[in-house]
Amino acid sequence: MTLQKPNLTDIKALFELESASFDKFNSPLSKRAFRYHIDKNFMLVAKENGEILGYILIFAYLKAPRIYSLAVSPKARGKGVAKALISEVLSLFESLRLEVRVDNVAAINLYKKFGFKQIKTLSKYYDDGCDALEMLWLKREFK
Ligand SMILES: CC(C)(COP(=O)(O)OP(=O)(O)OC[C@H]1O[C@@H](n2cnc3c(N)ncnc32)[C@H](O)[C@@H]1OP(=O)(O)O)[C@@H](O)C(=O)NCCC(=O)NCCS
């Protein structure tokens, strides 16, 4: 598996991965949105034999950089792809924050494993009324 910056030829595969990972209540990114983010924001894709297994998207321009999205293809889950993506970005940033659904046990476990701490609950954050946890990771706490 390699981690690399995506390019415009990856949009179709990213969109398919996105559609398989997020329903309408979780604001899946459109092809147009991926085109924008590949150009303007920090993204990494995990690939094997040319196939996209997962991606992470960071809003790095913010004062408090934010993991905006992370998804792994259903057939590639449980094999450490998300771990590889998170490890790489944690080596590049001093701090990262994110929001995650309170019912997303897999993602919450993943973030806790890397030392993200819950700092807030955001009531009815998602379109279906589900709450979000706001989580924060600080490099200085792991030196
Ligand atoms: C959450 C997600 C990104 C995890 O990706 P993954 O590549 O399968 O995760 P990994 O194999 O790297 O697992 C890393 C850790 O996450 C946690 N985890 C992953 N899948 C889990 C599951 N089904 N149940 C509980 N914990 C899980 C575990 O702590 C795991 O560590 P371990 O293997 O040492 O136990 C993936 O399930 C996904 O794409 N889900 C849909 C989209 C999504 O929810 N994105 C996150 C939005 S905030």
Side-chain angles (χ1 to χ4, degrees):
M1 179 173 61
T2 60
L3 302 184
Q4 57 196 251
K5 295 271 170 72
N7 57 55
L8 296 180
T9 61
D10 292 322
I11 289 175
K12 186 170 177 283
L14 282 166
F15 179 69
E16 282 165 9
L17 197 172
E18 186 79 351
S19 308
S21 298
F22 297 106
D23 64 23
K24 62 176 180 176
F25 297 118
N26 293 287
S27 313
L29 295 169
S30 62
K31 287 185 185 160
R32 192 167 156 216
F34 276 117
R35 182 179 297 274
Y36 174 83
H37 291 307
I38 287 171
D39 188 33
K40 302 280 187 214
N41 282 310
F42 180 89
M43 272 186 83
L44 276 182
V45 290
K47 279 191 182 177
E48 199 163 65
N49 301 323
E51 191 184 343
I52 293 189
L53 305 181
Y55 83 90
I56 192 163
L57 166 61
I58 314 249
F59 287 176
Y61 61 88
L62 297 171
K63 196 170 162 197
R66 175 175 171 212
I67 298 180
Y68 182 76
S69 191
L70 164 70
V72 171
S73 159
K75 66 178 187 206
R77 287 182 193 162
K79 297 176 184 168
V81 176
K83 261 195 245 181
L85 287 164
I86 298 262
S87 299
E88 180 65 17
V89 297
L90 294 190
S91 73
L92 302 173
F93 291 88
E94 293 297 311
S95 73
L96 282 167
R97 68 179 194 87
L98 58 85
E99 292 87 31
V100 57
R101 290 176 66 97
V102 292
D103 59 5
N104 193 343
V105 177
I108 292 171
N109 282 349
L110 167 72
Y111 298 132
K112 281 188 173 160
K113 183 156 274 193
F114 281 95
F116 282 79
K117 303 260 164 59
Q118 178 184 343
I119 53 169
K120 233 188 260 178
T121 303
L122 306 169
S123 182
K124 298 188 174 55
Y125 185 80
Y126 296 96
D127 288 349
D128 61 352
C130 185
D131 294 348
L133 300 185
E134 184 173 354
M135 301 184 86
L136 176 67
W137 173 86
L138 295 171
K139 179 174 267 175
R140 65 170 180 266
E141 291 183 3
F142 292 90
K143 274 183 179 163

